[in-house]
Amino acid sequence: MSEHVRIYLDARNIQEKPTGVGNYALALIPELVRLAPEQWEWVVIRHESNQVPILPERAGFHEVFIDQRIGLLDDFLIGAGSLHRVFRALGPPTIYHNLFHVTPLFLGHLGAYTPRRVVTLHDLIWADHAFEVKTDLHRALFFKVYGRLAVSHTIRNAERVICVSDATRQRASRWVEDAESLITIPHGVEPIFFEDASYPERVLGPKDRLEPYVVAVGNDKPYKNLARLVRGFAAAREKTKQGRLVLVGGCDGLRGLISELGVEDHVLLTGFLEDDQLRGVMGHARLFVFPSLVEGFGLPPLEAMAMGVPCAVADREPMRWVAGDGAARFDPLDVDEIARVILRFMTRDDLQEEYSRRGQERARCLTWERTARETLAVYDEVLSKPARG
């Protein structure tokens, strides 16, 4: 190909404390650059709230920071202007890849050039399940309407839409005429999760005093389903008289339920943790439970499986596919079944050994190198076609 290839990666989903969509960008970008042709130029658009470099300085790789947050209504309506200012400063894009599923309006109608557009669609939770994400009725209605308009516009105007799971691709297919524009490329597991993690004494206390514990990562929003997990744990604890539950993330809204069930001495709310502390908490658990009712992908159980921690996941897609045969499954709406899963893993060493082995085998199948190679194949396909007008 004769043209100079300049790839713009819109990675403004890397916020002050990156969540799942931000960690996707942080893990994918170094692999893309490593595996791509050396002559390709990369420009990563970042939000100014997080200016930690993704890569050391190298020729052909640039990071630019702007104050426009991605995905918000103002970004959708007028954010194209901010992007075009970056394009004018650093050169026109050959491909613009938005790593967070909402692209501003008019991106292809400003300036003297039109980038080929690729977007990663992580999920449709805020459009399809707004009332399970937002507790305020008016905010839920706004996100439902805005999410459907913004996401449908984005994927209809993209040459290719990378969906992180088949479940996300199937839900998105209703908004496109050409289903072949949608492709599933799953997340991967970072190699560090296959390494031993240090015990996080600052979080869990002295190791010699620690009871076996169940760990979950999430928040107190209804779709994460941690309230049922708390109820299931309380029922299991009533029978075994042992064990703790460790909840990582924004779970303060569960304190009332925890107190009501009388298990406040046996449930630890850690809040958000640094990466090394999170790996330590996950890596020393007896069981990792992922009870979400809906997800775009569901990376945490895959990371726990890579660490050799037995996992149990909701028997729903995409968790069912992500975990494969590497994790036990349960009906996420059945508190009694959640309790039975906890009881089995807390009391049976044979299950510990079996699911530790099976989980690691499954996790080795999904790597960020694979994700990057499949993403680069999408770029090659898009580059072989003329840009849209």
PDB file of all heavy atoms in Angstrom, residues 295-331:
ATOM      1  N   GLU A 295     -23.521  -8.425  31.010  1.00  0.00           N
ATOM      2  CA  GLU A 295     -22.181  -7.873  30.818  1.00  0.00           C
ATOM      3  C   GLU A 295     -21.904  -7.812  29.325  1.00  0.00           C
ATOM      4  O   GLU A 295     -22.529  -8.518  28.526  1.00  0.00           O
ATOM      5  CB  GLU A 295     -21.116  -8.750  31.488  1.00  0.00           C
ATOM      6  CG  GLU A 295     -21.110  -8.710  33.001  1.00  0.00           C
ATOM      7  CD  GLU A 295     -20.556  -7.404  33.559  1.00  0.00           C
ATOM      8  OE1 GLU A 295     -19.802  -6.725  32.837  1.00  0.00           O
ATOM      9  OE2 GLU A 295     -20.874  -7.078  34.718  1.00  0.00           O
ATOM     10  N   GLY A 296     -20.949  -6.968  28.960  1.00  0.00           N
ATOM     11  CA  GLY A 296     -20.487  -6.978  27.589  1.00  0.00           C
ATOM     12  C   GLY A 296     -19.511  -8.107  27.353  1.00  0.00           C
ATOM     13  O   GLY A 296     -19.522  -8.761  26.306  1.00  0.00           O
ATOM     14  N   PHE A 297     -18.639  -8.351  28.329  1.00  0.00           N
ATOM     15  CA  PHE A 297     -17.674  -9.444  28.231  1.00  0.00           C
ATOM     16  C   PHE A 297     -17.559 -10.168  29.573  1.00  0.00           C
ATOM     17  O   PHE A 297     -17.946 -11.306  29.702  1.00  0.00           O
ATOM     18  CB  PHE A 297     -16.312  -8.923  27.770  1.00  0.00           C
ATOM     19  CG  PHE A 297     -15.297 -10.020  27.566  1.00  0.00           C
ATOM     20  CD1 PHE A 297     -15.334 -10.798  26.419  1.00  0.00           C
ATOM     21  CD2 PHE A 297     -14.316 -10.277  28.504  1.00  0.00           C
ATOM     22  CE1 PHE A 297     -14.410 -11.819  26.226  1.00  0.00           C
ATOM     23  CE2 PHE A 297     -13.376 -11.275  28.325  1.00  0.00           C
ATOM     24  CZ  PHE A 297     -13.421 -12.055  27.175  1.00  0.00           C
ATOM     25  N   GLY A 298     -17.031  -9.502  30.572  1.00  0.00           N
ATOM     26  CA  GLY A 298     -16.844 -10.139  31.870  1.00  0.00           C
ATOM     27  C   GLY A 298     -15.413 -10.612  32.039  1.00  0.00           C
ATOM     28  O   GLY A 298     -15.144 -11.813  32.096  1.00  0.00           O
ATOM     29  N   LEU A 299     -14.469  -9.658  32.134  1.00  0.00           N
ATOM     30  CA  LEU A 299     -13.051  -9.995  32.222  1.00  0.00           C
ATOM     31  C   LEU A 299     -12.609 -10.481  33.606  1.00  0.00           C
ATOM     32  O   LEU A 299     -11.740 -11.361  33.689  1.00  0.00           O
ATOM     33  CB  LEU A 299     -12.207  -8.798  31.788  1.00  0.00           C
ATOM     34  CG  LEU A 299     -10.692  -9.004  31.699  1.00  0.00           C
ATOM     35  CD1 LEU A 299     -10.358 -10.124  30.707  1.00  0.00           C
ATOM     36  CD2 LEU A 299     -10.000  -7.704  31.282  1.00  0.00           C
ATOM     37  N   PRO A 300     -13.133  -9.951  34.722  1.00  0.00           N
ATOM     38  CA  PRO A 300     -12.616 -10.351  36.034  1.00  0.00           C
ATOM     39  C   PRO A 300     -12.558 -11.858  36.282  1.00  0.00           C
ATOM     40  O   PRO A 300     -11.547 -12.353  36.806  1.00  0.00           O
ATOM     41  CB  PRO A 300     -13.549  -9.634  37.016  1.00  0.00           C
ATOM     42  CG  PRO A 300     -13.962  -8.403  36.283  1.00  0.00           C
ATOM     43  CD  PRO A 300     -14.119  -8.846  34.851  1.00  0.00           C
ATOM     44  N   PRO A 301     -13.590 -12.652  35.950  1.00  0.00           N
ATOM     45  CA  PRO A 301     -13.444 -14.088  36.205  1.00  0.00           C
ATOM     46  C   PRO A 301     -12.337 -14.725  35.378  1.00  0.00           C
ATOM     47  O   PRO A 301     -11.673 -15.671  35.830  1.00  0.00           O
ATOM     48  CB  PRO A 301     -14.822 -14.669  35.843  1.00  0.00           C
ATOM     49  CG  PRO A 301     -15.471 -13.651  35.000  1.00  0.00           C
ATOM     50  CD  PRO A 301     -14.947 -12.340  35.452  1.00  0.00           C
ATOM     51  N   LEU A 302     -12.111 -14.226  34.153  1.00  0.00           N
ATOM     52  CA  LEU A 302     -11.034 -14.763  33.330  1.00  0.00           C
ATOM     53  C   LEU A 302      -9.686 -14.479  33.978  1.00  0.00           C
ATOM     54  O   LEU A 302      -8.786 -15.328  33.978  1.00  0.00           O
ATOM     55  CB  LEU A 302     -11.112 -14.147  31.939  1.00  0.00           C
ATOM     56  CG  LEU A 302     -10.272 -14.800  30.845  1.00  0.00           C
ATOM     57  CD1 LEU A 302     -10.691 -16.246  30.620  1.00  0.00           C
ATOM     58  CD2 LEU A 302     -10.391 -14.007  29.554  1.00  0.00           C
ATOM     59  N   GLU A 303      -9.540 -13.292  34.551  1.00  0.00           N
ATOM     60  CA  GLU A 303      -8.293 -12.951  35.245  1.00  0.00           C
ATOM     61  C   GLU A 303      -8.112 -13.821  36.484  1.00  0.00           C
ATOM     62  O   GLU A 303      -6.996 -14.282  36.777  1.00  0.00           O
ATOM     63  CB  GLU A 303      -8.304 -11.471  35.605  1.00  0.00           C
ATOM     64  CG  GLU A 303      -8.260 -10.554  34.380  1.00  0.00           C
ATOM     65  CD  GLU A 303      -8.470  -9.095  34.696  1.00  0.00           C
ATOM     66  OE1 GLU A 303      -9.047  -8.786  35.762  1.00  0.00           O
ATOM     67  OE2 GLU A 303      -8.067  -8.244  33.876  1.00  0.00           O
ATOM     68  N   ALA A 304      -9.198 -14.056  37.220  1.00  0.00           N
ATOM     69  CA  ALA A 304      -9.109 -14.918  38.401  1.00  0.00           C
ATOM     70  C   ALA A 304      -8.741 -16.344  37.998  1.00  0.00           C
ATOM     71  O   ALA A 304      -7.921 -17.006  38.659  1.00  0.00           O
ATOM     72  CB  ALA A 304     -10.430 -14.897  39.162  1.00  0.00           C
ATOM     73  N   MET A 305      -9.322 -16.834  36.907  1.00  0.00           N
ATOM     74  CA  MET A 305      -8.994 -18.174  36.444  1.00  0.00           C
ATOM     75  C   MET A 305      -7.522 -18.280  36.065  1.00  0.00           C
ATOM     76  O   MET A 305      -6.876 -19.298  36.314  1.00  0.00           O
ATOM     77  CB  MET A 305      -9.888 -18.558  35.260  1.00  0.00           C
ATOM     78  CG  MET A 305     -11.322 -18.839  35.663  1.00  0.00           C
ATOM     79  SD  MET A 305     -12.312 -19.580  34.330  1.00  0.00           S
ATOM     80  CE  MET A 305     -12.416 -18.228  33.169  1.00  0.00           C
ATOM     81  N   ALA A 306      -6.981 -17.223  35.438  1.00  0.00           N
ATOM     82  CA  ALA A 306      -5.563 -17.231  35.091  1.00  0.00           C
ATOM     83  C   ALA A 306      -4.692 -17.375  36.335  1.00  0.00           C
ATOM     84  O   ALA A 306      -3.611 -17.977  36.276  1.00  0.00           O
ATOM     85  CB  ALA A 306      -5.204 -15.947  34.345  1.00  0.00           C
ATOM     86  N   MET A 307      -5.167 -16.863  37.456  1.00  0.00           N
ATOM     87  CA  MET A 307      -4.412 -16.943  38.700  1.00  0.00           C
ATOM     88  C   MET A 307      -4.589 -18.282  39.404  1.00  0.00           C
ATOM     89  O   MET A 307      -4.012 -18.501  40.466  1.00  0.00           O
ATOM     90  CB  MET A 307      -4.842 -15.804  39.632  1.00  0.00           C
ATOM     91  CG  MET A 307      -4.633 -14.430  39.038  1.00  0.00           C
ATOM     92  SD  MET A 307      -5.152 -13.091  40.145  1.00  0.00           S
ATOM     93  CE  MET A 307      -3.772 -13.084  41.281  1.00  0.00           C
ATOM     94  N   GLY A 308      -5.393 -19.159  38.825  1.00  0.00           N
ATOM     95  CA  GLY A 308      -5.608 -20.455  39.443  1.00  0.00           C
ATOM     96  C   GLY A 308      -6.655 -20.444  40.535  1.00  0.00           C
ATOM     97  O   GLY A 308      -6.740 -21.393  41.323  1.00  0.00           O
ATOM     98  N   VAL A 309      -7.467 -19.396  40.587  1.00  0.00           N
ATOM     99  CA  VAL A 309      -8.517 -19.286  41.605  1.00  0.00           C
ATOM    100  C   VAL A 309      -9.797 -19.924  41.044  1.00  0.00           C
ATOM    101  O   VAL A 309     -10.249 -19.546  39.959  1.00  0.00           O
ATOM    102  CB  VAL A 309      -8.787 -17.810  41.974  1.00  0.00           C
ATOM    103  CG1 VAL A 309      -9.923 -17.697  42.982  1.00  0.00           C
ATOM    104  CG2 VAL A 309      -7.518 -17.172  42.511  1.00  0.00           C
ATOM    105  N   PRO A 310     -10.400 -20.875  41.736  1.00  0.00           N
ATOM    106  CA  PRO A 310     -11.668 -21.445  41.267  1.00  0.00           C
ATOM    107  C   PRO A 310     -12.724 -20.360  41.110  1.00  0.00           C
ATOM    108  O   PRO A 310     -12.807 -19.436  41.928  1.00  0.00           O
ATOM    109  CB  PRO A 310     -12.045 -22.427  42.375  1.00  0.00           C
ATOM    110  CG  PRO A 310     -10.745 -22.774  43.024  1.00  0.00           C
ATOM    111  CD  PRO A 310      -9.922 -21.521  42.973  1.00  0.00           C
ATOM    112  N   CYS A 311     -13.515 -20.478  40.045  1.00  0.00           N
ATOM    113  CA  CYS A 311     -14.512 -19.451  39.743  1.00  0.00           C
ATOM    114  C   CYS A 311     -15.889 -20.061  39.563  1.00  0.00           C
ATOM    115  O   CYS A 311     -16.038 -21.199  39.107  1.00  0.00           O
ATOM    116  CB  CYS A 311     -14.145 -18.705  38.463  1.00  0.00           C
ATOM    117  SG  CYS A 311     -12.738 -17.608  38.629  1.00  0.00           S
ATOM    118  N   ALA A 312     -16.895 -19.255  39.890  1.00  0.00           N
ATOM    119  CA  ALA A 312     -18.295 -19.579  39.611  1.00  0.00           C
ATOM    120  C   ALA A 312     -18.907 -18.350  38.962  1.00  0.00           C
ATOM    121  O   ALA A 312     -18.763 -17.238  39.479  1.00  0.00           O
ATOM    122  CB  ALA A 312     -19.033 -19.952  40.888  1.00  0.00           C
ATOM    123  N   VAL A 313     -19.592 -18.529  37.839  1.00  0.00           N
ATOM    124  CA  VAL A 313     -20.140 -17.406  37.086  1.00  0.00           C
ATOM    125  C   VAL A 313     -21.619 -17.616  36.827  1.00  0.00           C
ATOM    126  O   VAL A 313     -22.121 -18.747  36.815  1.00  0.00           O
ATOM    127  CB  VAL A 313     -19.404 -17.208  35.744  1.00  0.00           C
ATOM    128  CG1 VAL A 313     -17.918 -16.979  35.970  1.00  0.00           C
ATOM    129  CG2 VAL A 313     -19.631 -18.385  34.805  1.00  0.00           C
ATOM    130  N   ALA A 314     -22.318 -16.505  36.606  1.00  0.00           N
ATOM    131  CA  ALA A 314     -23.732 -16.567  36.234  1.00  0.00           C
ATOM    132  C   ALA A 314     -23.889 -17.346  34.938  1.00  0.00           C
ATOM    133  O   ALA A 314     -23.123 -17.160  33.988  1.00  0.00           O
ATOM    134  CB  ALA A 314     -24.291 -15.156  36.083  1.00  0.00           C
ATOM    135  N   ASP A 315     -24.893 -18.201  34.900  1.00  0.00           N
ATOM    136  CA  ASP A 315     -25.131 -19.041  33.733  1.00  0.00           C
ATOM    137  C   ASP A 315     -25.886 -18.250  32.668  1.00  0.00           C
ATOM    138  O   ASP A 315     -27.038 -18.556  32.316  1.00  0.00           O
ATOM    139  CB  ASP A 315     -25.911 -20.289  34.140  1.00  0.00           C
ATOM    140  CG  ASP A 315     -25.947 -21.335  33.037  1.00  0.00           C
ATOM    141  OD1 ASP A 315     -25.182 -21.183  32.063  1.00  0.00           O
ATOM    142  OD2 ASP A 315     -26.739 -22.292  33.141  1.00  0.00           O
ATOM    143  N   ARG A 316     -25.223 -17.201  32.178  1.00  0.00           N
ATOM    144  CA  ARG A 316     -25.762 -16.337  31.134  1.00  0.00           C
ATOM    145  C   ARG A 316     -24.637 -15.957  30.191  1.00  0.00           C
ATOM    146  O   ARG A 316     -23.454 -16.009  30.558  1.00  0.00           O
ATOM    147  CB  ARG A 316     -26.381 -15.062  31.720  1.00  0.00           C
ATOM    148  CG  ARG A 316     -27.628 -15.310  32.562  1.00  0.00           C
ATOM    149  CD  ARG A 316     -28.303 -14.017  32.926  1.00  0.00           C
ATOM    150  NE  ARG A 316     -29.577 -14.266  33.600  1.00  0.00           N
ATOM    151  CZ  ARG A 316     -30.446 -13.311  33.918  1.00  0.00           C
ATOM    152  NH1 ARG A 316     -30.189 -12.046  33.612  1.00  0.00           N
ATOM    153  NH2 ARG A 316     -31.576 -13.612  34.526  1.00  0.00           N
ATOM    154  N   GLU A 317     -25.020 -15.576  28.978  1.00  0.00           N
ATOM    155  CA  GLU A 317     -24.020 -15.057  28.052  1.00  0.00           C
ATOM    156  C   GLU A 317     -23.761 -13.583  28.363  1.00  0.00           C
ATOM    157  O   GLU A 317     -24.661 -12.884  28.786  1.00  0.00           O
ATOM    158  CB  GLU A 317     -24.500 -15.217  26.608  1.00  0.00           C
ATOM    159  CG  GLU A 317     -24.631 -16.663  26.148  1.00  0.00           C
ATOM    160  CD  GLU A 317     -23.301 -17.404  26.095  1.00  0.00           C
ATOM    161  OE1 GLU A 317     -22.231 -16.768  26.311  1.00  0.00           O
ATOM    162  OE2 GLU A 317     -23.338 -18.607  25.872  1.00  0.00           O
ATOM    163  N   PRO A 318     -22.499 -13.122  28.187  1.00  0.00           N
ATOM    164  CA  PRO A 318     -21.356 -13.847  27.627  1.00  0.00           C
ATOM    165  C   PRO A 318     -20.511 -14.585  28.657  1.00  0.00           C
ATOM    166  O   PRO A 318     -19.494 -15.182  28.294  1.00  0.00           O
ATOM    167  CB  PRO A 318     -20.543 -12.722  26.989  1.00  0.00           C
ATOM    168  CG  PRO A 318     -20.759 -11.575  27.924  1.00  0.00           C
ATOM    169  CD  PRO A 318     -22.197 -11.689  28.375  1.00  0.00           C
ATOM    170  N   MET A 319     -20.905 -14.543  29.950  1.00  0.00           N
ATOM    171  CA  MET A 319     -20.087 -15.191  30.969  1.00  0.00           C
ATOM    172  C   MET A 319     -19.925 -16.675  30.696  1.00  0.00           C
ATOM    173  O   MET A 319     -18.867 -17.262  30.935  1.00  0.00           O
ATOM    174  CB  MET A 319     -20.679 -14.959  32.354  1.00  0.00           C
ATOM    175  CG  MET A 319     -20.508 -13.555  32.898  1.00  0.00           C
ATOM    176  SD  MET A 319     -21.585 -12.310  32.137  1.00  0.00           S
ATOM    177  CE  MET A 319     -23.175 -12.731  32.885  1.00  0.00           C
ATOM    178  N   ARG A 320     -20.982 -17.297  30.166  1.00  0.00           N
ATOM    179  CA  ARG A 320     -20.930 -18.731  29.877  1.00  0.00           C
ATOM    180  C   ARG A 320     -19.825 -19.033  28.868  1.00  0.00           C
ATOM    181  O   ARG A 320     -19.059 -19.977  29.021  1.00  0.00           O
ATOM    182  CB  ARG A 320     -22.290 -19.173  29.347  1.00  0.00           C
ATOM    183  CG  ARG A 320     -22.447 -20.671  29.149  1.00  0.00           C
ATOM    184  CD  ARG A 320     -23.786 -20.987  28.495  1.00  0.00           C
ATOM    185  NE  ARG A 320     -24.908 -20.568  29.324  1.00  0.00           N
ATOM    186  CZ  ARG A 320     -25.876 -19.744  28.927  1.00  0.00           C
ATOM    187  NH1 ARG A 320     -25.849 -19.233  27.697  1.00  0.00           N
ATOM    188  NH2 ARG A 320     -26.863 -19.423  29.729  1.00  0.00           N
ATOM    189  N   TRP A 321     -19.722 -18.179  27.812  1.00  0.00           N
ATOM    190  CA  TRP A 321     -18.685 -18.404  26.801  1.00  0.00           C
ATOM    191  C   TRP A 321     -17.308 -18.038  27.326  1.00  0.00           C
ATOM    192  O   TRP A 321     -16.334 -18.764  27.099  1.00  0.00           O
ATOM    193  CB  TRP A 321     -18.979 -17.578  25.552  1.00  0.00           C
ATOM    194  CG  TRP A 321     -17.953 -17.813  24.484  1.00  0.00           C
ATOM    195  CD1 TRP A 321     -17.962 -18.774  23.520  1.00  0.00           C
ATOM    196  CD2 TRP A 321     -16.728 -17.083  24.303  1.00  0.00           C
ATOM    197  NE1 TRP A 321     -16.828 -18.695  22.745  1.00  0.00           N
ATOM    198  CE2 TRP A 321     -16.056 -17.677  23.205  1.00  0.00           C
ATOM    199  CE3 TRP A 321     -16.141 -16.005  24.963  1.00  0.00           C
ATOM    200  CZ2 TRP A 321     -14.822 -17.208  22.758  1.00  0.00           C
ATOM    201  CZ3 TRP A 321     -14.905 -15.537  24.509  1.00  0.00           C
ATOM    202  CH2 TRP A 321     -14.254 -16.131  23.416  1.00  0.00           C
ATOM    203  N   VAL A 322     -17.212 -16.933  28.027  1.00  0.00           N
ATOM    204  CA  VAL A 322     -15.914 -16.485  28.535  1.00  0.00           C
ATOM    205  C   VAL A 322     -15.291 -17.556  29.426  1.00  0.00           C
ATOM    206  O   VAL A 322     -14.117 -17.908  29.271  1.00  0.00           O
ATOM    207  CB  VAL A 322     -16.061 -15.167  29.319  1.00  0.00           C
ATOM    208  CG1 VAL A 322     -14.767 -14.831  30.062  1.00  0.00           C
ATOM    209  CG2 VAL A 322     -16.424 -14.024  28.385  1.00  0.00           C
ATOM    210  N   ALA A 323     -16.068 -18.093  30.340  1.00  0.00           N
ATOM    211  CA  ALA A 323     -15.542 -19.074  31.289  1.00  0.00           C
ATOM    212  C   ALA A 323     -15.364 -20.448  30.656  1.00  0.00           C
ATOM    213  O   ALA A 323     -14.484 -21.217  31.055  1.00  0.00           O
ATOM    214  CB  ALA A 323     -16.468 -19.176  32.501  1.00  0.00           C
ATOM    215  N   GLY A 324     -16.180 -20.775  29.656  1.00  0.00           N
ATOM    216  CA  GLY A 324     -16.101 -22.096  29.058  1.00  0.00           C
ATOM    217  C   GLY A 324     -16.277 -23.183  30.104  1.00  0.00           C
ATOM    218  O   GLY A 324     -17.154 -23.110  30.976  1.00  0.00           O
ATOM    219  N   ASP A 325     -15.414 -24.200  30.046  1.00  0.00           N
ATOM    220  CA  ASP A 325     -15.443 -25.275  31.036  1.00  0.00           C
ATOM    221  C   ASP A 325     -14.573 -24.962  32.247  1.00  0.00           C
ATOM    222  O   ASP A 325     -14.375 -25.817  33.112  1.00  0.00           O
ATOM    223  CB  ASP A 325     -14.965 -26.588  30.404  1.00  0.00           C
ATOM    224  CG  ASP A 325     -15.932 -27.098  29.341  1.00  0.00           C
ATOM    225  OD1 ASP A 325     -17.141 -26.832  29.470  1.00  0.00           O
ATOM    226  OD2 ASP A 325     -15.470 -27.749  28.383  1.00  0.00           O
ATOM    227  N   GLY A 326     -14.081 -23.728  32.303  1.00  0.00           N
ATOM    228  CA  GLY A 326     -13.136 -23.392  33.363  1.00  0.00           C
ATOM    229  C   GLY A 326     -13.765 -22.916  34.649  1.00  0.00           C
ATOM    230  O   GLY A 326     -13.049 -22.659  35.625  1.00  0.00           O
ATOM    231  N   ALA A 327     -15.091 -22.759  34.686  1.00  0.00           N
ATOM    232  CA  ALA A 327     -15.748 -22.251  35.895  1.00  0.00           C
ATOM    233  C   ALA A 327     -17.071 -22.977  36.101  1.00  0.00           C
ATOM    234  O   ALA A 327     -17.693 -23.464  35.148  1.00  0.00           O
ATOM    235  CB  ALA A 327     -15.993 -20.746  35.784  1.00  0.00           C
ATOM    236  N   ALA A 328     -17.496 -23.039  37.364  1.00  0.00           N
ATOM    237  CA  ALA A 328     -18.831 -23.542  37.678  1.00  0.00           C
ATOM    238  C   ALA A 328     -19.856 -22.468  37.305  1.00  0.00           C
ATOM    239  O   ALA A 328     -19.529 -21.280  37.209  1.00  0.00           O
ATOM    240  CB  ALA A 328     -18.920 -23.881  39.159  1.00  0.00           C
ATOM    241  N   ARG A 329     -21.090 -22.882  37.106  1.00  0.00           N
ATOM    242  CA  ARG A 329     -22.149 -21.943  36.740  1.00  0.00           C
ATOM    243  C   ARG A 329     -23.313 -22.072  37.707  1.00  0.00           C
ATOM    244  O   ARG A 329     -23.524 -23.116  38.309  1.00  0.00           O
ATOM    245  CB  ARG A 329     -22.639 -22.218  35.312  1.00  0.00           C
ATOM    246  CG  ARG A 329     -21.561 -22.122  34.255  1.00  0.00           C
ATOM    247  CD  ARG A 329     -22.115 -22.561  32.915  1.00  0.00           C
ATOM    248  NE  ARG A 329     -21.069 -22.726  31.921  1.00  0.00           N
ATOM    249  CZ  ARG A 329     -21.231 -23.351  30.768  1.00  0.00           C
ATOM    250  NH1 ARG A 329     -22.423 -23.880  30.472  1.00  0.00           N
ATOM    251  NH2 ARG A 329     -20.236 -23.467  29.917  1.00  0.00           N
ATOM    252  N   PHE A 330     -24.088 -20.982  37.790  1.00  0.00           N
ATOM    253  CA  PHE A 330     -25.261 -20.981  38.663  1.00  0.00           C
ATOM    254  C   PHE A 330     -26.295 -20.020  38.104  1.00  0.00           C
ATOM    255  O   PHE A 330     -25.978 -19.117  37.324  1.00  0.00           O
ATOM    256  CB  PHE A 330     -24.873 -20.564  40.092  1.00  0.00           C
ATOM    257  CG  PHE A 330     -24.218 -19.212  40.181  1.00  0.00           C
ATOM    258  CD1 PHE A 330     -24.979 -18.049  40.311  1.00  0.00           C
ATOM    259  CD2 PHE A 330     -22.834 -19.078  40.112  1.00  0.00           C
ATOM    260  CE1 PHE A 330     -24.389 -16.801  40.373  1.00  0.00           C
ATOM    261  CE2 PHE A 330     -22.220 -17.836  40.175  1.00  0.00           C
ATOM    262  CZ  PHE A 330     -23.003 -16.697  40.308  1.00  0.00           C
ATOM    263  N   ASP A 331     -27.539 -20.234  38.508  1.00  0.00           N
ATOM    264  CA  ASP A 331     -28.628 -19.324  38.152  1.00  0.00           C
ATOM    265  C   ASP A 331     -28.476 -18.059  38.999  1.00  0.00           C
ATOM    266  O   ASP A 331     -28.610 -18.118  40.221  1.00  0.00           O
ATOM    267  CB  ASP A 331     -29.973 -19.997  38.434  1.00  0.00           C
ATOM    268  CG  ASP A 331     -31.162 -19.100  38.097  1.00  0.00           C
ATOM    269  OD1 ASP A 331     -30.960 -17.911  37.789  1.00  0.00           O
ATOM    270  OD2 ASP A 331     -32.300 -19.593  38.164  1.00  0.00           O
TER     271      ASP A 331
END
